[in-house]
Amino acid sequence: MARGKLRIYLGAAPGVGKTYAMLSEAHRRVERGTDVVVGFVEHHGRPRTEVMLHGLEQIQCHELRYRGTVFTEMDVAAVLARKPAVAVVDELAHTNVPGSRHDKRWQDIEQLLEAGIDVISTVNIQHLESLGDVVESITGVRQRETVPDEIVRRADQIELVDMSPQALRRRMAHGNIYQPDKVDAALSNYFRPGNLTALRELALLWVADRVDEYLQEYRAEHSIRSTWQARERIVVGLTGGPEGRTLIRRAARMAAKGSGSEVLAVYIARSDGLTSASPKELAVQRTLVEDLGGTFHHVIGDDIPSALLEFARGVNATQIVLGSSRRKAWQYVFGPGVGATVARDSGPDLDVHIVTHDEVAKGRGLPVARGARLGRSRIIAGWIVGVAGPVLLTLLLTSIPNGPGLANDVLLFLFLTVVAALVGGRLPALASAAAGSLLLNFYFTSPTHTLTVSNPKNIFAIAIFFAVAVSVASVVDLATRRTHQAARLRAESEILSFLAGSVLRGETTLDALLERVRETFGMETVALLERGSEVEPWTCAGRAGGSEDGADRPLQRPEDADVDMPVGDHMALALTGRVLPAEDRRVLAAFAAQAAVVLDRQRLAGEAARAGELAEGNRIRTALLAAVSHDLRTPLASIKASVTSLRSDDVAWSPEDEAELLAGIEAGADRLDHLVGNLLDMSRLQTGTVTPLIREIDLDEVVPMALGGVPEGSVSLDIPEELPIVAVDPGLLERSVANLVENAVKYSPDGEPVLVAASALGDRVEVRIADRGPGVPDSAKGRIFEPFQRYGDAPRGAGVGLGLAVARGFAEAMGGTLAAEDTPGGGMTMVLTLRAAPGRPPVRPDLPAQATT
C-alpha cells in the first residue's frame, strides 16, 4: 500500500489563518469529488473558522477523562475504519491526553499516512523543535508542545500562511482571534510588533531553506550542472595562506548587500597530503568564517581549479572569490595559476572575483613537509654531493692520464646524480645533473676547455646524460617519497590499531590518552577543551604536559594553541609546542575523536555510579516503607488500645489492671523509640553524616551500659581488667554492642545466656557476642548486614532488620570491623574488632575458657 501524502499549512504566528486555509482546501477537494473527512479541528471559538466546518463530514471525537476533566481527542481507530482519501487533522504539534493511542498527534498522523490516507494539517513556526530556544529568546515563552523538524520536512507540500504584523494585530483587536477580555494582554505581550516580525522572519527563512532543498533534489534528479541563480551563494577559495582572512571578510561584505546570501569557504587539499598550508591559519580562518555566519568546507582534489569549480557548481554557487596569486613573476612559466584557470573555465553562470591583498607576488615559498621529511642534515649532504661531488670527480678524472673514456665518465657522473637524489632529494640531483653536463662538456668533450662540441655524437651523449639524470633523479625522489609515505602509513596504522584496541578494551583513561598524544607528536602541552554553547567560555576537561597548575601557558581557547583539532561543535583538542604539518592532522583527528569518546565514557561511568547510588537509595527507601508499614503500626496499635481502655468510663479498672496497661504503653513506646533510633542511625550512615568523637576509654565502662535493654540473666559478661584501652566513640560503641546483644538474645533459646567476651590480639581488641541460636549459613553471612534484612522465620514484630546494619556502620565509622562467625557447638558469634589506643602496649592475657567455647 502506498504511503499517504502530507500537506502542511505553516503559520508564522497564531491567528494568521492556517486552520481557515486548511478547511478551504478541504472544501475545494470535496467540490472536486474527493472523499474528505475531518479527523480533528480546533476552532477556538472563532465564528469564521467554525462556519468552515459546515458541509464537511466530521469523525466523532474520542472522549477521555484525565484528572477529573473530560478531554476530546481524535479517534484514530474511527478514521482508519472510515478510510477516507483525505483526512483533515489540525494542530500537528499537539500533545495527546494520557491514555490516547499515541503521545503526540503527529504520531497519529504518521499512522494515517502509513494506512495510505492523505493528511492535511497545520503547525506554527514556534512549535518546531529546533527553534524552541530561538522562539523563547524572542517571545519569552517556552513552547511545551513541539514537533520534530524532520516530520515537517518530510511533508510532500508545505504552504506558508503569512500576514503582516499590523494586519494580525488589527485582526486581534477586532476579536477575531481571542476573546475580548484577553485581547489587551495578548497585544501587549506575545503579539508585540517586534515579536511578530521576528517570528515572521523565522518562518520565511525556514520555508526558504526547505525550498532550497527541493531545488537541490530537483537538480540532482535531472542532472542539472549549470548554476541557477535563485539565491546568492559566494564561494571563497582558501589556500591556507595569510590572505584568507581578507578574502573571507570581502565575501562577507558582498553577502551582506543581498538578503539571504550565503558564504561558503572551501580549502582544497591534495590527496597525497602534501601541502604548504598552515593548519593553525586554516583553523583561524574557519573560526572567522563561522563567526561571520558562513560555513567551512574541506575538499580533497589534485586538480585544484577543477575541484573548486566542481564544488561551486555542486552547491549552486553564483560567485567565487579568489585572491591574487602570491607567485612571483618568473613562476608563471609553470602555468597561468589557479585564479586565471578558474576564471577561464567558470563559464557564464559563475562570476569570479580576484581580490588583491598584502601578500601579492611575495612568493608562496616551498612546501614545508617535503624538506621536513628528509631533515636538515640530509638536505645539506645532498647539496654537497650534488654540487661538490661533480667538481671532485672532475679533478680525479683529469688527473688520470688518458682517462677511462667519455662513456665511463658519463656513467660516473650519473652515479653521483643518483647518490644526490638518494641523499638530498630532487633539487640536489637536478643541480648534480646540470653541473655534470657542463663539466663533461668543458673537460671531457673535444675540443676541451670550451663549451663548444665538435662531434655531434658527443652532443647527443651529453643530452642523453642530462635527460637520464633528470629522469633517474625524479624516479629516485618519487621512490623516496613513497617509501616515506609507506613508513608513515605503517606508523599511523600502528597508532590507530592502538586506539582501536584501547576502545575495545576500555583501558585508556583521558589523562593517559592525552599523554600519549603529547608523546606521539612531541608537543609541550595537550588539553581537551569544551564548552556548553557558542556563547559560553571554554573549560579544560583534561590536560597533559606543562606544569601541574597550567601556569606556564594556560589554554583558555583553541585559538591560543599552536594546533587545534575541533571535535564536534563544542569541543576541541589544543596542542602547544610546534605547528604540525597537514599530514599529521589525520592521526590527530583520530586521537581527538577518541579523547571525546573517553571523556564521554568517564562521565557515563560516573553517572552510572551515581545512578547506582540513587537506585540503592530508592531500594532502601522502598524496603523502609515495606518494613515499617507493620512494625510502626504494631506498637502504635498496642499503645492506642491501652490508652483507649484507660480512658473508658464503662469499665472500672483495678490498680493491677491499670499498672499492666501502663506497662504495655511503656513497652510499646520503648519499641517505637528503639525503631526510630535505628532508622535515624541508618539515615545518618547512608548520608555520611556520622562523625565519631574518638577518645580513649575502657571497655568495662561502655559494654555494661549497652545491656540495659535486655532481660536480666540473659547475658553472661566476661571483660578482663587487663585489656588495653580502646580508641572509640563511646556513644557509637554502646549503640553497636546494644544492637548486637539484643539481636543475639532474640535468637538464643530460653535458658541459654548470650556470652559477651573481650580479648586483646596485637594492636586490636575483639569483642565477641556469642549465642546458641539456629545460626546462619556461610552463604548468608554477608547479607545479614544489609539494611532491612531479616534471616529465616523471624517474626514481623522482631524489628525491621536494621540492627546489624547500624552496628557495622558505626564500627566502620570508628575504624573497626564487624564480622559473623559460627559459634562452636551451634549458633552465631559476632566479632567486633576495635583499635587499641596508641601508646599503650597491648597485653596478651590468657583467654578465659568461656570466651573461646
Side-chain angles (χ1 to χ4, degrees):
M1 178 182 297
R3 177 183 169 88
K5 294 184 178 181
L6 176 61
R7 180 185 181 119
I8 294 177
Y9 286 89
L10 178 65
V16 294
K18 59 186 182 299
T19 303
Y20 189 93
M22 176 186 67
L23 294 176
S24 298
E25 174 64 19
H27 279 285
R28 283 193 294 271
R29 298 201 182 193
V30 169
E31 293 173 358
R32 293 197 299 264
T34 306
D35 183 13
V36 179
V37 300
V38 176
F40 186 91
V41 167
E42 182 60 68
H43 54 72
H44 298 288
R46 299 166 187 168
R48 296 187 179 182
T49 304
E50 188 174 2
V51 169
M52 292 297 294
L53 288 170
H54 297 167
L56 296 176
E57 180 184 348
Q58 300 183 49
I59 300 295
Q60 184 69 32
C61 292
H62 182 51
E63 293 187 351
L64 293 171
R65 180 175 295 276
Y66 180 67
R67 293 183 178 178
T69 305
V70 177
F71 296 88
T72 57
E73 297 288 357
M74 179 176 65
D75 192 341
V76 180
V79 177
L80 292 172
R82 171 65 174 75
K83 196 167 179 56
V86 178
V88 177
V89 183
D90 201 8
E91 296 184 352
L92 180 65
H94 172 73
T95 301
N96 293 330
V97 175
S100 303
R101 179 183 290 240
H102 300 106
D103 294 334
K104 304 288 288 188
R105 184 161 294 163
W106 63 262
Q107 295 172 321
D108 297 337
I109 292 176
E110 282 291 308
Q111 186 173 3
L112 297 181
L113 295 173
E114 292 295 333
I117 301 174
D118 295 345
V119 177
I120 307 175
S121 188
T122 64
V123 70
N124 280 329
I125 189 67
Q126 67 265 26
H127 293 297
L128 295 182
E129 198 168 75
S130 65
L131 300 178
D133 295 338
V134 179
V135 172
E136 183 179 9
S137 64
I138 294 172
T139 64
V141 178
R142 181 67 178 181
Q143 299 295 328
R144 297 182 179 179
E145 293 187 331
T146 59
V147 59
D149 289 42
E150 182 60 25
I151 299 299
V152 183
R153 288 186 181 276
R154 286 208 309 259
D156 299 276
Q157 288 181 283
I158 300 176
E159 183 172 329
L160 177 64
V161 182
D162 186 26
M163 180 177 289
S164 68
Q166 294 78 13
L168 182 57
R169 284 171 59 85
R170 283 197 301 270
R171 177 180 289 185
M172 171 74 69
H174 294 159
N176 294 331
I177 300 178
Y178 291 154
Q179 297 297 324
D181 57 337
K182 299 181 180 179
V183 170
D184 291 339
L187 289 175
S188 59
N189 291 283
Y190 193 91
F191 286 83
R192 293 195 301 266
N195 291 359
L196 297 178
T197 302
L199 292 175
R200 188 186 189 196
E201 183 177 3
L202 276 179
L204 291 171
L205 290 175
W206 195 91
V207 173
D209 288 338
R210 179 58 179 147
V211 171
D212 190 61
E213 292 178 8
Y214 280 132
L215 179 61
Q216 296 292 349
E217 293 174 3
Y218 180 84
R219 285 166 52 85
E221 291 174 359
H222 294 79
S223 301
I224 299 174
R225 307 289 297 168
S226 61
T227 300
W228 288 2
Q229 300 186 5
R231 184 177 184 178
E232 288 292 342
R233 284 187 176 85
I234 304 173
V235 171
V236 184
L238 301 178
T239 64
E243 78 281 359
R245 306 184 200 183
T246 302
L247 303 183
I248 293 171
R249 293 189 179 96
R250 176 60 176 164
R253 290 196 298 271
M254 294 169 58
K257 295 178 181 179
S259 179
S261 300
E262 295 182 39
V263 175
L264 300 90
V266 58
Y267 169 70
I268 300 175
R270 298 185 183 276
S271 59
D272 58 5
L274 303 178
T275 177
S276 59
S278 167
K280 182 177 177 62
E281 182 63 30
L282 280 177
V284 172
Q285 293 174 13
R286 176 173 188 157
T287 302
L288 176 61
V289 71
E290 291 176 349
D291 289 342
L292 294 175
T295 57
F296 183 89
H297 305 267
H298 195 126
V299 177
I300 304 297
D302 292 324
D303 189 345
I304 293 179
S306 298
L308 180 60
L309 290 172
E310 183 74 17
F311 174 81
R313 293 192 174 101
V315 298
N316 200 26
T318 57
Q319 302 180 61
I320 298 178
V321 175
L322 299 173
S324 298
S325 179
R326 287 184 283 140
R327 296 194 299 177
K328 296 183 180 294
W330 63 269
Q331 290 179 312
Y332 281 95
V333 299
F334 299 107
V338 174
T341 305
V342 171
R344 182 192 65 202
D345 299 339
S346 61
D349 53 353
L350 269 174
D351 297 334
V352 179
H353 302 267
I354 305 297
V355 179
T356 59
H357 50 83
D358 295 336
E359 304 296 323
V360 174
K362 290 187 177 180
R364 301 184 60 179
L366 293 175
V368 178
R370 298 187 183 186
R373 290 201 308 267
L374 295 176
R376 186 179 182 86
S377 59
R378 285 192 58 181
I379 293 176
I380 294 175
W383 279 105
I384 292 175
V385 173
V387 176
V391 175
L392 296 176
L393 180 61
T394 299
L395 294 176
L396 176 65
L397 293 177
T398 53
S399 65
I400 300 175
N402 299 323
L406 181 61
N408 292 324
D409 294 338
V410 170
L411 291 177
L412 291 174
F413 277 98
L414 183 60
F415 172 76
L416 279 180
T417 301
V418 173
V419 173
L422 289 172
V423 174
R426 180 184 300 174
L427 292 179
L430 294 178
S432 176
S437 300
L438 293 175
L439 292 173
L440 283 171
N441 184 6
F442 193 83
Y443 288 100
F444 303 103
T445 305
S446 60
T448 58
H449 302 94
T450 179
L451 295 178
T452 60
V453 180
S454 59
N455 190 342
K457 294 182 179 179
N458 292 338
I459 297 176
F460 181 74
I462 294 175
I464 291 298
F465 161 76
F466 184 78
V468 171
V470 172
S471 301
V472 169
S474 300
V475 171
V476 170
D477 180 70
L478 179 63
T480 303
R481 289 195 301 172
R482 293 294 181 258
T483 301
H484 169 78
Q485 291 174 359
R488 182 176 187 82
L489 291 175
R490 184 177 65 251
E492 289 182 3
S493 65
E494 292 176 355
I495 294 173
L496 295 177
S497 175
F498 161 78
L499 285 177
S502 66
V503 171
L504 294 176
R505 294 187 300 269
E507 298 173 350
T508 304
T509 63
L510 181 60
D511 292 340
L513 181 63
L514 295 181
E515 182 62 28
R516 176 70 181 240
V517 174
R518 192 181 71 84
E519 294 176 355
T520 300
F521 296 99
M523 307 301 285
E524 295 177 358
T525 306
V526 178
L528 184 63
L529 305 178
E530 64 175 346
R531 59 181 177 180
S533 64
E534 297 292 341
V535 297
E536 295 183 18
W538 292 92
T539 59
C540 182
R543 175 188 171 97
S547 62
E548 293 296 328
D549 56 359
D552 52 344
R553 186 178 178 184
L555 288 176
Q556 298 179 352
R557 301 180 307 162
E559 293 80 4
D560 298 334
D562 294 318
V563 180
D564 70 281
M565 175 60 65
V567 188
D569 295 331
H570 305 303
M571 190 177 293
L573 189 65
L575 302 88
T576 61
R578 64 187 179 93
V579 177
L580 291 179
E583 54 197 18
D584 286 340
R585 293 180 68 87
R586 293 194 299 269
V587 178
L588 182 61
F591 272 110
Q594 175 64 4
V597 171
V598 171
L599 179 61
D600 289 341
R601 184 189 299 130
Q602 289 183 355
R603 289 177 175 171
L604 289 174
E607 292 177 1
R610 289 190 293 272
E613 294 175 357
L614 292 175
E616 178 64 16
N618 290 333
R619 187 191 68 80
I620 291 176
R621 282 192 291 271
T622 302
L624 169 63
L625 293 175
V628 304
S629 61
H630 178 273
D631 295 283
L632 280 176
R633 292 171 61 90
T634 301
L636 284 174
S638 175
I639 294 173
K640 175 66 175 175
S642 297
V643 171
T644 302
S645 299
L646 288 173
R647 290 175 57 88
S648 175
D649 298 330
D650 299 337
V651 180
W653 301 102
S654 64
E656 294 79 7
D657 293 335
E658 289 181 355
E660 184 178 354
L661 291 173
L662 290 173
I665 294 174
E666 184 179 11
D670 290 340
R671 288 182 60 190
L672 279 178
D673 179 67
H674 181 74
L675 176 60
V676 172
N678 275 338
L679 290 175
L680 292 176
D681 291 339
M682 196 68 239
S683 175
R684 292 168 58 202
L685 290 170
Q686 290 292 330
T687 56
T689 57
V690 175
T691 304
L693 301 176
I694 304 297
R695 65 185 181 92
E696 298 179 2
I697 194 171
D698 286 325
L699 279 180
D700 55 8
E701 297 181 24
V702 180
V703 175
M705 299 175 60
L707 308 181
V710 296
E712 293 185 6
S714 60
V715 177
S716 175
L717 189 62
D718 183 13
I719 306 294
E721 294 182 358
E722 62 270 20
L723 282 178
I725 294 176
V726 293
V728 295
D729 183 317
L732 299 185
L733 177 59
E734 180 183 345
R735 193 60 181 271
S736 297
V737 174
N739 284 352
L740 295 175
V741 171
E742 290 175 7
N743 186 75
V745 171
K746 183 193 315 179
Y747 288 100
S748 289
D750 295 337
E752 291 287 346
V754 173
L755 175 62
V756 178
S759 59
L761 297 174
D763 59 349
R764 295 174 294 124
V765 175
E766 287 187 351
V767 179
R768 292 176 171 267
I769 298 94
D771 64 61
R772 294 294 180 179
V776 175
D778 293 338
S779 60
K781 282 187 172 63
R783 294 197 303 270
I784 62 176
F785 293 103
E786 296 178 3
F788 308 106
Q789 296 292 323
R790 287 182 293 194
Y791 181 71
D793 56 352
R796 292 291 299 178
V800 294
L802 286 176
L804 296 182
V806 171
R808 170 175 273 188
F810 283 168
E812 293 176 350
M814 295 184 294
T817 61
L818 178 62
E821 297 179 356
D822 292 331
T823 301
M828 185 172 66
T829 299
M830 290 292 176
V831 182
L832 177 61
T833 304
L834 304 172
R835 291 182 296 128
R840 300 290 296 271
V843 182
R844 301 183 60 88
D846 295 333
L847 295 178
Q850 61 266 35
T852 58
T853 59

